[in-house]
Amino acid sequence: MPPVTATLIWILVVLVAVGLYLSWTAGRLDRLHARIDAARAALDAQLLRRASVAQELATSGVLDPAASIVLYEAAHAARQAVEEQREVAESELSQALRAVFAEPQQVDGVREAPGGEEAALELAEAVRRVPMARRFHNDAVRAARALRLHRKVRWFRLAGHAPFPMAFEMDDEPPPALIERAA
């Protein structure tokens, strides 16, 4: 076999290997973006559930009027927030939940009311799931960002026109009294 033919074959093999590697990387990036979309949908569902349960509890008459107003307004603002203000509104709902359920006596009062036991358990479960959903979303974002920052992804534009993934940063610390009493 002439040396020119062997060289061309090796060049072709290298080009195919590079093409396969870039294709695999693009597929991986696509899967990460799909994972981000799924995690964001799960996070949105958990945030909506938390706001809905908080709003129901605020209108149930189980809480005192001041706590009901604070909780209702924060939950309503979280449900109605536009995407740019969502993190702030959800953080304010977390702060309102901690303020309303700062004392274990408030949680006990809710649990003693008719239907309060179920409401307290449902709210505690909703509040407990939000940090997990946010963590899954942010982990997926972190992995996609790390891959998108590689030179090969930028040079060959493997991300296409997908927007750069953004983490969801909010205050999601649950009220300790609610979690302790509902457990």
Side-chain angles (χ1 to χ4, degrees):
M1 178 180 330
V4 173
T5 306
T7 304
L8 287 176
I9 290 174
W10 279 111
I11 289 173
L12 184 63
V13 167
V14 168
L15 286 176
V16 167
V18 168
L20 286 173
Y21 178 70
L22 290 176
S23 175
W24 176 80
T25 302
R28 181 172 169 228
L29 189 57
D30 187 51
R31 287 188 300 276
L32 283 171
H33 280 268
R35 190 171 131 206
I36 289 170
D37 291 342
R40 182 58 190 241
L43 175 61
D44 287 342
Q46 292 305 323
L47 291 171
L48 181 62
R49 180 172 179 242
R50 181 181 76 152
S52 297
V53 172
Q55 208 168 16
E56 283 179 30
L57 188 61
T59 58
S60 68
V62 174
L63 299 171
D64 64 84
S68 291
I69 290 171
V70 167
L71 195 56
Y72 181 84
E73 287 180 355
H76 181 71
R79 289 183 70 176
Q80 301 298 319
V82 294
E83 193 59 37
E84 294 80 29
Q85 297 297 319
R86 184 102 187 262
E87 293 172 352
V88 172
E90 294 294 347
S91 293
E92 288 173 354
L93 177 56
S94 295
Q95 293 165 2
L97 284 165
R98 282 197 307 272
V100 168
F101 295 107
E103 300 296 323
Q105 295 81 10
Q106 183 75 351
V107 178
D108 292 339
V110 168
R111 292 178 73 190
E112 291 167 2
E117 181 73 29
E118 294 82 24
L121 288 174
E122 190 175 0
L123 182 61
E125 189 62 30
V127 165
R128 213 179 276 135
R129 288 182 180 201
V130 168
M132 290 187 307
R134 188 175 75 86
R135 194 172 313 118
F136 288 139
H137 174 267
N138 287 350
D139 287 347
V141 166
R142 196 173 303 110
R145 283 177 144 184
L147 185 58
R148 285 185 68 157
L149 292 175
H150 286 202
R151 274 185 238 157
K152 66 180 176 263
V153 173
R154 289 192 319 253
W155 287 350
F156 293 102
R157 299 174 193 238
L158 299 180
H161 297 289
F164 196 73
M166 300 302 290
F168 194 87
E169 298 300 333
M170 63 172 270
D171 174 6
D172 60 3
E173 184 164 341
L178 179 66
I179 300 301
E180 290 169 7
R181 292 284 201 249

